[in-house]
Amino acid sequence: MASRDNAPFEITPDVLLKAYACGIFPMAENADDPALYWIEPEQRGIIPLSGFHVSARLARTVRTTPLTVLVDRDFDAVIDGCAAPAPDRDRTWINDRIRKLYRGLFDRGHCHTVEVYDGERLVGGLYGVSLGRAYFGESMFHTVRDASKIALVHLIARLKAGGFTLCDTQYVTEHLRSFGAVEVPKKRYHKLLEEALIGTADFAALPADRPISGAEALAILDNGSTR
């Protein structure tokens, strides 16, 4: 289900948070279209945190990669990466309104990034919204092999460490399905969301000011929350 909003001044970061709390999120048709559409899928994608799957190959990559993983260092670069054309997409839904709204959430501490670096060069990452004990994944990108997968592994480890209970992916792709993502009916999603909005979680339960190693992230996935 989708409804169109054409009034740029009506949506603020606070309104956006209220929308997420109601189970809806905005998207644009493309980067050049100033309008936003409010989306509420009948089937919602989630990654059950207890059912997150990392293949043996990816686990080896996460453990041995020379890439560095940081969080909340450069939101603008991450959203630029997510908006850039890629081999599997030549258009983006991230328009100027989306950029400004999520930058506003980032400045308020309600939007977080996971960033993957090769030296000082950003080569992959993702961003999403946090509210209560829910994290709503928005987009991810990579310019080197496995960088976005590494970011996702570190994200789920951080969510588990921080006491999150819901990881919303909006939709389920075959790529996400390989990590354990599933679809749930809207009614079931709203129940999970209602429960996740009670209490608080801490995205910085793992240190945010230093890199977290792949071995640390995998240990959390194996052992559960550190809280």
mmCIF file of all heavy atoms in Angstrom, residues 72-90:
data_model
loop_
_atom_site.group_PDB
_atom_site.id
_atom_site.type_symbol
_atom_site.label_atom_id
_atom_site.label_comp_id
_atom_site.label_asym_id
_atom_site.label_seq_id
_atom_site.Cartn_x
_atom_site.Cartn_y
_atom_site.Cartn_z
ATOM 1 N N ASP A 72 28.812 5.371 12.179
ATOM 2 C CA ASP A 72 28.413 6.764 12.388
ATOM 3 C C ASP A 72 29.537 7.774 12.163
ATOM 4 O O ASP A 72 29.594 8.813 12.819
ATOM 5 C CB ASP A 72 27.843 6.939 13.805
ATOM 6 C CG ASP A 72 26.527 6.215 13.995
ATOM 7 O OD1 ASP A 72 25.919 5.804 12.983
ATOM 8 O OD2 ASP A 72 26.097 6.054 15.154
ATOM 9 N N ARG A 73 30.411 7.471 11.225
ATOM 10 C CA ARG A 73 31.542 8.364 10.960
ATOM 11 C C ARG A 73 31.229 9.361 9.851
ATOM 12 O O ARG A 73 31.597 10.525 9.932
ATOM 13 C CB ARG A 73 32.777 7.532 10.595
ATOM 14 C CG ARG A 73 34.025 8.353 10.314
ATOM 15 C CD ARG A 73 35.161 7.455 9.885
ATOM 16 N NE ARG A 73 36.400 8.188 9.651
ATOM 17 C CZ ARG A 73 37.507 7.655 9.158
ATOM 18 N NH1 ARG A 73 37.540 6.365 8.863
ATOM 19 N NH2 ARG A 73 38.588 8.383 8.958
ATOM 20 N N ASP A 74 30.549 8.899 8.787
ATOM 21 C CA ASP A 74 30.335 9.764 7.622
ATOM 22 C C ASP A 74 29.003 9.415 6.959
ATOM 23 O O ASP A 74 28.949 8.720 5.949
ATOM 24 C CB ASP A 74 31.493 9.604 6.634
ATOM 25 C CG ASP A 74 31.525 10.704 5.580
ATOM 26 O OD1 ASP A 74 30.492 11.369 5.385
ATOM 27 O OD2 ASP A 74 32.587 10.893 4.958
ATOM 28 N N PHE A 75 27.926 9.919 7.542
ATOM 29 C CA PHE A 75 26.588 9.620 7.024
ATOM 30 C C PHE A 75 26.441 10.053 5.571
ATOM 31 O O PHE A 75 25.887 9.313 4.741
ATOM 32 C CB PHE A 75 25.515 10.305 7.877
ATOM 33 C CG PHE A 75 24.147 10.214 7.275
ATOM 34 C CD1 PHE A 75 23.373 9.089 7.465
ATOM 35 C CD2 PHE A 75 23.631 11.247 6.501
ATOM 36 C CE1 PHE A 75 22.109 8.984 6.894
ATOM 37 C CE2 PHE A 75 22.373 11.155 5.926
ATOM 38 C CZ PHE A 75 21.613 10.014 6.127
ATOM 39 N N ASP A 76 26.910 11.246 5.246
ATOM 40 C CA ASP A 76 26.716 11.769 3.893
ATOM 41 C C ASP A 76 27.383 10.890 2.846
ATOM 42 O O ASP A 76 26.824 10.657 1.766
ATOM 43 C CB ASP A 76 27.250 13.198 3.800
ATOM 44 C CG ASP A 76 26.450 14.172 4.657
ATOM 45 O OD1 ASP A 76 25.214 14.004 4.740
ATOM 46 O OD2 ASP A 76 27.045 15.076 5.257
ATOM 47 N N ALA A 77 28.572 10.374 3.157
ATOM 48 C CA ALA A 77 29.253 9.499 2.206
ATOM 49 C C ALA A 77 28.506 8.181 2.036
ATOM 50 O O ALA A 77 28.439 7.628 0.928
ATOM 51 C CB ALA A 77 30.687 9.246 2.666
ATOM 52 N N VAL A 78 27.931 7.679 3.117
ATOM 53 C CA VAL A 78 27.178 6.425 3.029
ATOM 54 C C VAL A 78 25.933 6.604 2.160
ATOM 55 O O VAL A 78 25.661 5.782 1.282
ATOM 56 C CB VAL A 78 26.791 5.914 4.429
ATOM 57 C CG1 VAL A 78 25.827 4.728 4.320
ATOM 58 C CG2 VAL A 78 28.032 5.495 5.199
ATOM 59 N N ILE A 79 25.180 7.672 2.376
ATOM 60 C CA ILE A 79 23.965 7.846 1.580
ATOM 61 C C ILE A 79 24.320 8.157 0.120
ATOM 62 O O ILE A 79 23.600 7.761 -0.798
ATOM 63 C CB ILE A 79 23.039 8.915 2.196
ATOM 64 C CG1 ILE A 79 21.605 8.692 1.705
ATOM 65 C CG2 ILE A 79 23.518 10.317 1.928
ATOM 66 C CD1 ILE A 79 20.553 9.441 2.474
ATOM 67 N N ASP A 80 25.470 8.813 -0.105
ATOM 68 C CA ASP A 80 25.950 8.990 -1.481
ATOM 69 C C ASP A 80 26.209 7.634 -2.132
ATOM 70 O O ASP A 80 25.852 7.404 -3.288
ATOM 71 C CB ASP A 80 27.235 9.814 -1.495
ATOM 72 C CG ASP A 80 26.999 11.303 -1.293
ATOM 73 O OD1 ASP A 80 25.838 11.744 -1.397
ATOM 74 O OD2 ASP A 80 27.984 12.016 -1.018
ATOM 75 N N GLY A 81 26.848 6.737 -1.383
ATOM 76 C CA GLY A 81 27.126 5.409 -1.908
ATOM 77 C C GLY A 81 25.861 4.633 -2.199
ATOM 78 O O GLY A 81 25.752 3.947 -3.225
ATOM 79 N N CYS A 82 24.874 4.751 -1.312
ATOM 80 C CA CYS A 82 23.615 4.042 -1.510
ATOM 81 C C CYS A 82 22.839 4.602 -2.698
ATOM 82 O O CYS A 82 22.062 3.878 -3.342
ATOM 83 C CB CYS A 82 22.775 4.129 -0.242
ATOM 84 S SG CYS A 82 23.424 3.189 1.160
ATOM 85 N N ALA A 83 23.026 5.884 -2.982
ATOM 86 C CA ALA A 83 22.294 6.521 -4.081
ATOM 87 C C ALA A 83 22.981 6.361 -5.434
ATOM 88 O O ALA A 83 22.374 6.615 -6.473
ATOM 89 C CB ALA A 83 22.122 8.009 -3.787
ATOM 90 N N ALA A 84 24.244 5.956 -5.433
ATOM 91 C CA ALA A 84 24.995 5.863 -6.686
ATOM 92 C C ALA A 84 24.508 4.699 -7.539
ATOM 93 O O ALA A 84 24.065 3.670 -7.009
ATOM 94 C CB ALA A 84 26.482 5.703 -6.375
ATOM 95 N N PRO A 85 24.572 4.823 -8.871
ATOM 96 C CA PRO A 85 24.239 3.685 -9.745
ATOM 97 C C PRO A 85 25.130 2.491 -9.434
ATOM 98 O O PRO A 85 26.270 2.630 -9.015
ATOM 99 C CB PRO A 85 24.503 4.235 -11.151
ATOM 100 C CG PRO A 85 24.446 5.719 -11.002
ATOM 101 C CD PRO A 85 24.968 6.020 -9.632
ATOM 102 N N ALA A 86 24.576 1.305 -9.632
ATOM 103 C CA ALA A 86 25.312 0.064 -9.390
ATOM 104 C C ALA A 86 24.959 -0.926 -10.485
ATOM 105 O O ALA A 86 23.985 -0.713 -11.229
ATOM 106 C CB ALA A 86 24.955 -0.496 -8.009
ATOM 107 N N PRO A 87 25.733 -2.009 -10.633
ATOM 108 C CA PRO A 87 25.444 -2.967 -11.703
ATOM 109 C C PRO A 87 24.022 -3.512 -11.670
ATOM 110 O O PRO A 87 23.448 -3.812 -12.721
ATOM 111 C CB PRO A 87 26.471 -4.078 -11.447
ATOM 112 C CG PRO A 87 27.616 -3.381 -10.779
ATOM 113 C CD PRO A 87 26.982 -2.327 -9.921
ATOM 114 N N ASP A 88 23.424 -3.620 -10.465
ATOM 115 C CA ASP A 88 22.077 -4.167 -10.383
ATOM 116 C C ASP A 88 20.994 -3.092 -10.330
ATOM 117 O O ASP A 88 19.818 -3.388 -10.179
ATOM 118 C CB ASP A 88 21.954 -5.072 -9.145
ATOM 119 C CG ASP A 88 22.277 -4.324 -7.854
ATOM 120 O OD1 ASP A 88 22.863 -3.231 -7.931
ATOM 121 O OD2 ASP A 88 21.946 -4.845 -6.775
ATOM 122 N N ARG A 89 21.393 -1.816 -10.449
ATOM 123 C CA ARG A 89 20.403 -0.747 -10.497
ATOM 124 C C ARG A 89 21.013 0.488 -11.172
ATOM 125 O O ARG A 89 22.149 0.839 -10.906
ATOM 126 C CB ARG A 89 19.901 -0.377 -9.101
ATOM 127 C CG ARG A 89 20.948 0.279 -8.219
ATOM 128 C CD ARG A 89 20.341 0.868 -6.945
ATOM 129 N NE ARG A 89 21.316 1.677 -6.247
ATOM 130 C CZ ARG A 89 22.134 1.233 -5.304
ATOM 131 N NH1 ARG A 89 22.086 -0.027 -4.943
ATOM 132 N NH2 ARG A 89 22.998 2.045 -4.721
ATOM 133 N N ASP A 90 20.252 1.124 -12.036
ATOM 134 C CA ASP A 90 20.731 2.340 -12.675
ATOM 135 C C ASP A 90 19.969 3.568 -12.199
ATOM 136 O O ASP A 90 20.246 4.681 -12.619
ATOM 137 C CB ASP A 90 20.639 2.239 -14.207
ATOM 138 C CG ASP A 90 19.231 1.921 -14.680
ATOM 139 O OD1 ASP A 90 18.311 1.897 -13.838
ATOM 140 O OD2 ASP A 90 19.063 1.693 -15.888
#
